[in-house]
Amino acid sequence: MDIIRGILIGRMQPIHNGHIQVIKKILDDVDEIIIGIGSAQASHEIKNPFTAGERVVMVKKALVENNIDPGSYYIIPMEDINFNSIWPAHVKMMTPPFSKVYSGNPLVKQLFKEEGYIVEQPPLYDRKILSGTEIRRRILEDDDWEKYVPQGTIETIQEINGVERIKNLAKKEISEK
Ligand code: NAD
């Protein structure tokens, strides 16, 4: 029997409970999921504070704590490239073969549809709070954020002094304006 694989690509800056719910939902549908850590080259920016390696750790810990079978996923950092039209080929080159693409991002959906992939938009869970932008805002403003992310995200952010990093990056962007 052929293995059915799906891919979800996200910046995961940081991985939050919405990503986890969507990963579980995709795994109801496919045998294996490829989790692409998007914009892998980016870090130490207010919109992309964490390195690809730090995000791999967060994602791995989050999947383990959610008892997701380690045989059912791949976590693959994926750098951006300058040419949108050949980005799906770049993704294909970097990953195990997949037939389904899951994304809520209009550009990602468009690019993969044009290449003939089955593209599905998973439901969005509590998007007002469960978004990377909102979680980063909460971290920056000392608002409640921990309950919206997996324990592994909290631990990793603590280990790397991530709260301080985000606050310093925000200062830097203000002083550079
Ligand atoms: P993201 O982390 O915001 O979201 C990833 C996916 O997670 C979404 O599509 C959505 O399906 C899901 N998700 C997020 N919040 C959710 C919630 N609350 N409930 C349920 N599901 C939720 O990442 P993104 O910005 O969509 O990532 C796309 C990546 O692809 C980026 O890194 C982008 O740079 C990359 N990309 C690169 C190129 C290129 O290199 N030319 C082109 C297109 C896209």
Side-chain angles (χ1 to χ4, degrees):
M1 198 183 74
D2 284 348
I3 291 175
I4 300 174
R5 284 193 203 94
I7 188 165
L8 174 76
I9 303 176
R11 290 188 1 256
M12 318 276 169
Q13 288 280 14
I15 184 166
H16 54 63
N17 294 342
H19 292 125
I20 294 298
Q21 287 185 72
V22 90
I23 288 167
K24 287 182 175 170
K25 180 119 180 65
I26 294 170
L27 277 169
D28 288 340
D29 210 25
V30 297
D31 302 307
E32 294 182 353
I33 182 169
I34 300 158
I35 302 168
I37 308 283
S39 305
Q41 78 289 347
S43 75
H44 297 81
E45 299 167 355
I46 195 72
K47 278 179 76 177
N48 293 295
F50 307 117
T51 67
E54 289 161 353
R55 289 177 276 157
V56 168
V57 173
M58 290 180 202
V59 172
K60 169 79 189 303
K61 283 182 172 224
L63 299 179
V64 169
E65 78 188 57
N66 278 278
N67 299 315
I68 297 175
D69 174 5
S72 69
Y73 57 81
Y74 302 83
I75 306 169
I76 302 182
M78 211 92 67
E79 286 176 32
D80 291 334
I81 59 167
N82 270 331
F83 312 99
N84 281 335
S85 69
I86 57 172
W87 180 66
H90 169 73
V91 171
K92 191 177 158 201
M93 180 184 77
M94 302 296 288
T95 56
F98 59 89
S99 53
K100 291 178 123 184
V101 177
Y102 295 85
S103 181
N105 178 315
L107 176 60
V108 172
K109 289 195 292 182
Q110 176 79 25
L111 294 175
F112 278 103
K113 265 188 202 157
E114 287 182 10
E115 294 304 313
Y117 284 92
I118 302 166
V119 178
E120 286 187 22
Q121 168 148 1
L124 282 171
Y125 304 97
D126 200 3
R127 185 65 176 163
K128 252 176 102 178
I129 295 183
L130 296 180
S131 86
T133 307
E134 175 62 11
I135 303 289
R136 293 191 303 276
R137 184 197 68 73
R138 285 171 172 260
I139 294 175
L140 179 62
E141 296 178 6
D142 292 323
D143 208 344
D144 198 8
W145 60 276
E146 286 95 338
K147 67 174 182 238
Y148 302 111
V149 302
Q151 186 59 30
T153 301
I154 301 172
E155 283 169 16
T156 311
I157 290 178
Q158 278 169 355
E159 277 165 23
I160 62 170
N161 288 327
V163 172
E164 196 186 325
R165 183 187 299 173
I166 288 179
K167 290 186 177 181
N168 281 331
L169 291 169
K171 277 187 214 152
K172 184 170 169 279
E173 297 217 346
I174 289 166
S175 66
E176 280 176 359
K177 271 187 190 161

mmCIF file of all heavy atoms in Angstrom, residues 120-156:
data_model
loop_
_atom_site.group_PDB
_atom_site.id
_atom_site.type_symbol
_atom_site.label_atom_id
_atom_site.label_comp_id
_atom_site.label_asym_id
_atom_site.label_seq_id
_atom_site.Cartn_x
_atom_site.Cartn_y
_atom_site.Cartn_z
ATOM 1 N N GLU A 120 -5.537 21.670 0.155
ATOM 2 C CA GLU A 120 -6.679 21.807 1.068
ATOM 3 C C GLU A 120 -6.401 22.883 2.090
ATOM 4 O O GLU A 120 -5.266 23.024 2.551
ATOM 5 C CB GLU A 120 -6.946 20.478 1.791
ATOM 6 C CG GLU A 120 -7.591 19.482 0.863
ATOM 7 C CD GLU A 120 -8.027 18.213 1.566
ATOM 8 O OE1 GLU A 120 -8.217 18.237 2.803
ATOM 9 O OE2 GLU A 120 -8.162 17.212 0.855
ATOM 10 N N GLN A 121 -7.456 23.600 2.440
ATOM 11 C CA GLN A 121 -7.323 24.618 3.486
ATOM 12 C C GLN A 121 -7.900 24.055 4.778
ATOM 13 O O GLN A 121 -9.109 23.865 4.898
ATOM 14 C CB GLN A 121 -8.079 25.892 3.082
ATOM 15 C CG GLN A 121 -8.206 26.841 4.239
ATOM 16 C CD GLN A 121 -8.202 28.306 3.844
ATOM 17 O OE1 GLN A 121 -8.126 28.672 2.668
ATOM 18 N NE2 GLN A 121 -8.295 29.163 4.835
ATOM 19 N N PRO A 122 -7.045 23.760 5.771
ATOM 20 C CA PRO A 122 -7.588 23.231 7.024
ATOM 21 C C PRO A 122 -8.330 24.325 7.787
ATOM 22 O O PRO A 122 -8.086 25.514 7.548
ATOM 23 C CB PRO A 122 -6.337 22.790 7.803
ATOM 24 C CG PRO A 122 -5.162 23.252 7.041
ATOM 25 C CD PRO A 122 -5.598 23.953 5.798
ATOM 26 N N PRO A 123 -9.234 23.941 8.692
ATOM 27 C CA PRO A 123 -9.957 24.969 9.453
ATOM 28 C C PRO A 123 -9.001 25.790 10.307
ATOM 29 O O PRO A 123 -7.968 25.291 10.747
ATOM 30 C CB PRO A 123 -10.894 24.147 10.350
ATOM 31 C CG PRO A 123 -10.382 22.757 10.327
ATOM 32 C CD PRO A 123 -9.593 22.577 9.087
ATOM 33 N N LEU A 124 -9.346 27.053 10.515
ATOM 34 C CA LEU A 124 -8.524 27.910 11.388
ATOM 35 C C LEU A 124 -9.126 27.876 12.787
ATOM 36 O O LEU A 124 -10.330 28.047 12.952
ATOM 37 C CB LEU A 124 -8.527 29.347 10.864
ATOM 38 C CG LEU A 124 -7.619 29.628 9.672
ATOM 39 C CD1 LEU A 124 -7.886 31.019 9.123
ATOM 40 C CD2 LEU A 124 -6.145 29.468 10.046
ATOM 41 N N TYR A 125 -8.291 27.651 13.783
ATOM 42 C CA TYR A 125 -8.769 27.570 15.161
ATOM 43 C C TYR A 125 -8.431 28.865 15.891
ATOM 44 O O TYR A 125 -7.255 29.249 15.942
ATOM 45 C CB TYR A 125 -8.128 26.381 15.878
ATOM 46 C CG TYR A 125 -8.346 25.066 15.173
ATOM 47 C CD1 TYR A 125 -7.371 24.542 14.328
ATOM 48 C CD2 TYR A 125 -9.543 24.366 15.311
ATOM 49 C CE1 TYR A 125 -7.570 23.339 13.656
ATOM 50 C CE2 TYR A 125 -9.746 23.166 14.639
ATOM 51 C CZ TYR A 125 -8.757 22.666 13.816
ATOM 52 O OH TYR A 125 -8.958 21.485 13.141
ATOM 53 N N ASP A 126 -9.443 29.518 16.431
ATOM 54 C CA ASP A 126 -9.246 30.691 17.296
ATOM 55 C C ASP A 126 -8.165 31.629 16.746
ATOM 56 O O ASP A 126 -7.240 32.026 17.465
ATOM 57 C CB ASP A 126 -8.856 30.186 18.705
ATOM 58 C CG ASP A 126 -9.095 31.246 19.772
ATOM 59 O OD1 ASP A 126 -9.600 32.324 19.427
ATOM 60 O OD2 ASP A 126 -8.741 30.986 20.935
ATOM 61 N N ARG A 127 -8.319 31.985 15.492
ATOM 62 C CA ARG A 127 -7.253 32.692 14.773
ATOM 63 C C ARG A 127 -6.916 34.066 15.382
ATOM 64 O O ARG A 127 -5.818 34.587 15.176
ATOM 65 C CB ARG A 127 -7.669 32.831 13.302
ATOM 66 C CG ARG A 127 -6.630 33.442 12.389
ATOM 67 C CD ARG A 127 -5.390 32.578 12.244
ATOM 68 N NE ARG A 127 -4.447 33.138 11.301
ATOM 69 C CZ ARG A 127 -3.169 32.795 11.206
ATOM 70 N NH1 ARG A 127 -2.686 31.867 12.000
ATOM 71 N NH2 ARG A 127 -2.386 33.347 10.316
ATOM 72 N N LYS A 128 -7.897 34.661 16.120
ATOM 73 C CA LYS A 128 -7.619 35.983 16.718
ATOM 74 C C LYS A 128 -6.414 35.910 17.658
ATOM 75 O O LYS A 128 -5.603 36.813 17.732
ATOM 76 C CB LYS A 128 -8.844 36.479 17.493
ATOM 77 C CG LYS A 128 -9.550 37.627 16.771
ATOM 78 C CD LYS A 128 -10.793 38.040 17.476
ATOM 79 C CE LYS A 128 -10.555 39.317 18.278
ATOM 80 N NZ LYS A 128 -11.783 39.765 18.950
ATOM 81 N N ILE A 129 -6.320 34.791 18.382
ATOM 82 C CA ILE A 129 -5.199 34.652 19.320
ATOM 83 C C ILE A 129 -4.151 33.678 18.788
ATOM 84 O O ILE A 129 -2.953 33.898 18.959
ATOM 85 C CB ILE A 129 -5.713 34.194 20.709
ATOM 86 C CG1 ILE A 129 -6.586 35.297 21.304
ATOM 87 C CG2 ILE A 129 -4.543 33.879 21.646
ATOM 88 C CD1 ILE A 129 -7.111 35.025 22.675
ATOM 89 N N LEU A 130 -4.621 32.601 18.140
ATOM 90 C CA LEU A 130 -3.662 31.588 17.685
ATOM 91 C C LEU A 130 -3.053 31.982 16.341
ATOM 92 O O LEU A 130 -3.353 31.403 15.289
ATOM 93 C CB LEU A 130 -4.340 30.220 17.618
ATOM 94 C CG LEU A 130 -4.826 29.685 18.972
ATOM 95 C CD1 LEU A 130 -5.484 28.324 18.820
ATOM 96 C CD2 LEU A 130 -3.689 29.627 19.980
ATOM 97 N N SER A 131 -2.211 32.985 16.408
ATOM 98 C CA SER A 131 -1.428 33.395 15.238
ATOM 99 C C SER A 131 -0.062 33.827 15.763
ATOM 100 O O SER A 131 0.043 34.348 16.886
ATOM 101 C CB SER A 131 -2.101 34.548 14.485
ATOM 102 O OG SER A 131 -1.733 35.797 15.031
ATOM 103 N N GLY A 132 0.961 33.586 14.958
ATOM 104 C CA GLY A 132 2.321 33.936 15.385
ATOM 105 C C GLY A 132 2.423 35.416 15.733
ATOM 106 O O GLY A 132 3.047 35.793 16.734
ATOM 107 N N THR A 133 1.779 36.257 14.922
ATOM 108 C CA THR A 133 1.840 37.707 15.151
ATOM 109 C C THR A 133 1.302 38.055 16.540
ATOM 110 O O THR A 133 1.902 38.825 17.291
ATOM 111 C CB THR A 133 0.992 38.443 14.071
ATOM 112 O OG1 THR A 133 1.424 37.992 12.799
ATOM 113 C CG2 THR A 133 1.131 39.940 14.172
ATOM 114 N N GLU A 134 0.147 37.475 16.878
ATOM 115 C CA GLU A 134 -0.479 37.782 18.172
ATOM 116 C C GLU A 134 0.347 37.211 19.337
ATOM 117 O O GLU A 134 0.535 37.867 20.360
ATOM 118 C CB GLU A 134 -1.921 37.232 18.181
ATOM 119 C CG GLU A 134 -2.657 37.370 19.494
ATOM 120 C CD GLU A 134 -2.856 38.820 19.964
ATOM 121 O OE1 GLU A 134 -2.620 39.761 19.191
ATOM 122 O OE2 GLU A 134 -3.221 38.999 21.147
ATOM 123 N N ILE A 135 0.901 36.012 19.165
ATOM 124 C CA ILE A 135 1.716 35.419 20.248
ATOM 125 C C ILE A 135 2.967 36.287 20.465
ATOM 126 O O ILE A 135 3.324 36.596 21.601
ATOM 127 C CB ILE A 135 2.143 33.960 19.913
ATOM 128 C CG1 ILE A 135 0.933 33.059 19.628
ATOM 129 C CG2 ILE A 135 3.053 33.390 21.014
ATOM 130 C CD1 ILE A 135 0.065 32.686 20.784
ATOM 131 N N ARG A 136 3.598 36.732 19.392
ATOM 132 C CA ARG A 136 4.798 37.578 19.536
ATOM 133 C C ARG A 136 4.439 38.918 20.179
ATOM 134 O O ARG A 136 5.179 39.432 21.003
ATOM 135 C CB ARG A 136 5.473 37.804 18.166
ATOM 136 C CG ARG A 136 6.081 36.549 17.562
ATOM 137 C CD ARG A 136 6.960 36.870 16.351
ATOM 138 N NE ARG A 136 6.277 37.585 15.295
ATOM 139 C CZ ARG A 136 5.533 37.028 14.331
ATOM 140 N NH1 ARG A 136 5.384 35.712 14.279
ATOM 141 N NH2 ARG A 136 4.948 37.777 13.399
ATOM 142 N N ARG A 137 3.278 39.468 19.812
ATOM 143 C CA ARG A 137 2.852 40.724 20.451
ATOM 144 C C ARG A 137 2.682 40.513 21.955
ATOM 145 O O ARG A 137 3.116 41.323 22.776
ATOM 146 C CB ARG A 137 1.526 41.222 19.842
ATOM 147 C CG ARG A 137 1.086 42.565 20.410
ATOM 148 C CD ARG A 137 -0.379 42.896 20.167
ATOM 149 N NE ARG A 137 -1.326 42.052 20.898
ATOM 150 C CZ ARG A 137 -1.562 42.113 22.212
ATOM 151 N NH1 ARG A 137 -0.927 42.974 22.969
ATOM 152 N NH2 ARG A 137 -2.448 41.290 22.777
ATOM 153 N N ARG A 138 2.058 39.401 22.319
ATOM 154 C CA ARG A 138 1.821 39.119 23.735
ATOM 155 C C ARG A 138 3.148 38.936 24.485
ATOM 156 O O ARG A 138 3.285 39.383 25.616
ATOM 157 C CB ARG A 138 0.941 37.869 23.881
ATOM 158 C CG ARG A 138 -0.505 38.163 23.533
ATOM 159 C CD ARG A 138 -1.365 36.919 23.458
ATOM 160 N NE ARG A 138 -2.753 37.310 23.319
ATOM 161 C CZ ARG A 138 -3.642 37.347 24.306
ATOM 162 N NH1 ARG A 138 -3.318 36.940 25.510
ATOM 163 N NH2 ARG A 138 -4.872 37.754 24.098
ATOM 164 N N ILE A 139 4.099 38.252 23.848
ATOM 165 C CA ILE A 139 5.410 38.070 24.500
ATOM 166 C C ILE A 139 6.047 39.448 24.716
ATOM 167 O O ILE A 139 6.516 39.766 25.811
ATOM 168 C CB ILE A 139 6.340 37.167 23.645
ATOM 169 C CG1 ILE A 139 5.777 35.743 23.567
ATOM 170 C CG2 ILE A 139 7.767 37.172 24.207
ATOM 171 C CD1 ILE A 139 6.539 34.796 22.650
ATOM 172 N N LEU A 140 5.994 40.273 23.693
ATOM 173 C CA LEU A 140 6.628 41.599 23.759
ATOM 174 C C LEU A 140 5.997 42.475 24.845
ATOM 175 O O LEU A 140 6.690 43.193 25.569
ATOM 176 C CB LEU A 140 6.492 42.267 22.380
ATOM 177 C CG LEU A 140 7.068 43.663 22.214
ATOM 178 C CD1 LEU A 140 8.581 43.656 22.438
ATOM 179 C CD2 LEU A 140 6.765 44.200 20.812
ATOM 180 N N GLU A 141 4.665 42.383 24.959
ATOM 181 C CA GLU A 141 3.960 43.292 25.882
ATOM 182 C C GLU A 141 3.658 42.645 27.231
ATOM 183 O O GLU A 141 2.797 43.129 27.970
ATOM 184 C CB GLU A 141 2.683 43.800 25.205
ATOM 185 C CG GLU A 141 3.020 44.638 23.968
ATOM 186 C CD GLU A 141 1.800 45.146 23.201
ATOM 187 O OE1 GLU A 141 0.661 44.962 23.676
ATOM 188 O OE2 GLU A 141 2.011 45.710 22.110
ATOM 189 N N ASP A 142 4.335 41.543 27.541
ATOM 190 C CA ASP A 142 4.112 40.827 28.814
ATOM 191 C C ASP A 142 2.637 40.491 29.034
ATOM 192 O O ASP A 142 2.138 40.530 30.163
ATOM 193 C CB ASP A 142 4.621 41.656 30.008
ATOM 194 C CG ASP A 142 6.138 41.780 29.999
ATOM 195 O OD1 ASP A 142 6.799 40.796 29.627
ATOM 196 O OD2 ASP A 142 6.640 42.865 30.350
ATOM 197 N N ASP A 143 1.946 40.212 27.951
ATOM 198 C CA ASP A 143 0.554 39.785 28.028
ATOM 199 C C ASP A 143 0.581 38.258 28.165
ATOM 200 O O ASP A 143 1.586 37.622 27.857
ATOM 201 C CB ASP A 143 -0.128 40.226 26.718
ATOM 202 C CG ASP A 143 -1.599 40.488 26.886
ATOM 203 O OD1 ASP A 143 -2.156 40.046 27.899
ATOM 204 O OD2 ASP A 143 -2.181 41.126 25.980
ATOM 205 N N ASP A 144 -0.533 37.673 28.558
ATOM 206 C CA ASP A 144 -0.609 36.237 28.744
ATOM 207 C C ASP A 144 -0.375 35.509 27.407
ATOM 208 O O ASP A 144 -1.112 35.735 26.451
ATOM 209 C CB ASP A 144 -2.042 35.975 29.237
ATOM 210 C CG ASP A 144 -2.182 34.643 29.868
ATOM 211 O OD1 ASP A 144 -1.152 33.986 30.054
ATOM 212 O OD2 ASP A 144 -3.320 34.250 30.177
ATOM 213 N N TRP A 145 0.667 34.681 27.275
ATOM 214 C CA TRP A 145 0.892 33.963 26.007
ATOM 215 C C TRP A 145 1.095 32.477 26.208
ATOM 216 O O TRP A 145 0.814 31.666 25.331
ATOM 217 C CB TRP A 145 2.103 34.536 25.254
ATOM 218 C CG TRP A 145 3.419 34.480 25.992
ATOM 219 C CD1 TRP A 145 3.878 35.387 26.903
ATOM 220 C CD2 TRP A 145 4.434 33.462 25.919
ATOM 221 N NE1 TRP A 145 5.115 35.007 27.381
ATOM 222 C CE2 TRP A 145 5.481 33.827 26.799
ATOM 223 C CE3 TRP A 145 4.572 32.272 25.174
ATOM 224 C CZ2 TRP A 145 6.637 33.045 26.966
ATOM 225 C CZ3 TRP A 145 5.721 31.503 25.334
ATOM 226 C CH2 TRP A 145 6.740 31.888 26.231
ATOM 227 N N GLU A 146 1.557 32.097 27.416
ATOM 228 C CA GLU A 146 1.976 30.703 27.616
ATOM 229 C C GLU A 146 0.856 29.696 27.364
ATOM 230 O O GLU A 146 1.113 28.593 26.891
ATOM 231 C CB GLU A 146 2.537 30.495 29.019
ATOM 232 C CG GLU A 146 3.933 31.078 29.230
ATOM 233 C CD GLU A 146 3.924 32.463 29.830
ATOM 234 O OE1 GLU A 146 2.884 33.159 29.705
ATOM 235 O OE2 GLU A 146 4.939 32.871 30.425
ATOM 236 N N LYS A 147 -0.391 30.083 27.683
ATOM 237 C CA LYS A 147 -1.451 29.075 27.545
ATOM 238 C C LYS A 147 -1.836 28.806 26.087
ATOM 239 O O LYS A 147 -2.598 27.887 25.817
ATOM 240 C CB LYS A 147 -2.665 29.442 28.393
ATOM 241 C CG LYS A 147 -3.427 30.659 27.993
ATOM 242 C CD LYS A 147 -4.680 30.749 28.885
ATOM 243 C CE LYS A 147 -5.535 31.923 28.528
ATOM 244 N NZ LYS A 147 -5.764 32.838 29.622
ATOM 245 N N TYR A 148 -1.309 29.603 25.163
ATOM 246 C CA TYR A 148 -1.658 29.430 23.761
ATOM 247 C C TYR A 148 -0.600 28.653 22.962
ATOM 248 O O TYR A 148 -0.718 28.510 21.753
ATOM 249 C CB TYR A 148 -1.884 30.798 23.105
ATOM 250 C CG TYR A 148 -2.963 31.578 23.820
ATOM 251 C CD1 TYR A 148 -2.663 32.724 24.550
ATOM 252 C CD2 TYR A 148 -4.285 31.132 23.797
ATOM 253 C CE1 TYR A 148 -3.652 33.419 25.224
ATOM 254 C CE2 TYR A 148 -5.281 31.822 24.473
ATOM 255 C CZ TYR A 148 -4.952 32.960 25.188
ATOM 256 O OH TYR A 148 -5.937 33.641 25.862
ATOM 257 N N VAL A 149 0.444 28.213 23.641
ATOM 258 C CA VAL A 149 1.515 27.482 22.953
ATOM 259 C C VAL A 149 1.815 26.186 23.710
ATOM 260 O O VAL A 149 1.542 26.090 24.906
ATOM 261 C CB VAL A 149 2.817 28.328 22.835
ATOM 262 C CG1 VAL A 149 2.574 29.634 22.097
ATOM 263 C CG2 VAL A 149 3.431 28.601 24.196
ATOM 264 N N PRO A 150 2.396 25.192 23.013
ATOM 265 C CA PRO A 150 2.767 23.954 23.710
ATOM 266 C C PRO A 150 3.854 24.223 24.760
ATOM 267 O O PRO A 150 4.609 25.205 24.651
ATOM 268 C CB PRO A 150 3.320 23.067 22.591
ATOM 269 C CG PRO A 150 2.870 23.680 21.315
ATOM 270 C CD PRO A 150 2.699 25.136 21.566
ATOM 271 N N GLN A 151 3.943 23.316 25.732
ATOM 272 C CA GLN A 151 4.953 23.433 26.795
ATOM 273 C C GLN A 151 6.365 23.510 26.188
ATOM 274 O O GLN A 151 7.218 24.246 26.665
ATOM 275 C CB GLN A 151 4.817 22.217 27.733
ATOM 276 C CG GLN A 151 5.685 22.249 28.965
ATOM 277 C CD GLN A 151 5.421 23.462 29.871
ATOM 278 O OE1 GLN A 151 4.306 23.971 29.928
ATOM 279 N NE2 GLN A 151 6.462 23.920 30.545
ATOM 280 N N GLY A 152 6.598 22.744 25.122
ATOM 281 C CA GLY A 152 7.918 22.731 24.476
ATOM 282 C C GLY A 152 8.318 24.095 23.913
ATOM 283 O O GLY A 152 9.499 24.429 23.854
ATOM 284 N N THR A 153 7.330 24.870 23.495
ATOM 285 C CA THR A 153 7.607 26.227 23.003
ATOM 286 C C THR A 153 8.041 27.099 24.180
ATOM 287 O O THR A 153 9.023 27.850 24.083
ATOM 288 C CB THR A 153 6.347 26.817 22.316
ATOM 289 O OG1 THR A 153 5.982 25.978 21.241
ATOM 290 C CG2 THR A 153 6.590 28.224 21.803
ATOM 291 N N ILE A 154 7.332 26.974 25.285
ATOM 292 C CA ILE A 154 7.677 27.773 26.482
ATOM 293 C C ILE A 154 9.100 27.417 26.920
ATOM 294 O O ILE A 154 9.936 28.300 27.149
ATOM 295 C CB ILE A 154 6.692 27.486 27.647
ATOM 296 C CG1 ILE A 154 5.261 27.816 27.233
ATOM 297 C CG2 ILE A 154 7.090 28.269 28.906
ATOM 298 C CD1 ILE A 154 4.194 27.384 28.241
ATOM 299 N N GLU A 155 9.379 26.106 27.015
ATOM 300 C CA GLU A 155 10.711 25.662 27.480
ATOM 301 C C GLU A 155 11.815 26.181 26.560
ATOM 302 O O GLU A 155 12.836 26.683 27.019
ATOM 303 C CB GLU A 155 10.777 24.126 27.490
ATOM 304 C CG GLU A 155 10.053 23.506 28.662
ATOM 305 C CD GLU A 155 9.918 21.990 28.487
ATOM 306 O OE1 GLU A 155 10.620 21.387 27.633
ATOM 307 O OE2 GLU A 155 9.083 21.427 29.197
ATOM 308 N N THR A 156 11.589 26.059 25.250
ATOM 309 C CA THR A 156 12.629 26.477 24.301
ATOM 310 C C THR A 156 12.840 27.986 24.387
ATOM 311 O O THR A 156 13.980 28.461 24.393
ATOM 312 C CB THR A 156 12.254 26.056 22.861
ATOM 313 O OG1 THR A 156 11.879 24.686 22.872
ATOM 314 C CG2 THR A 156 13.393 26.263 21.888
#
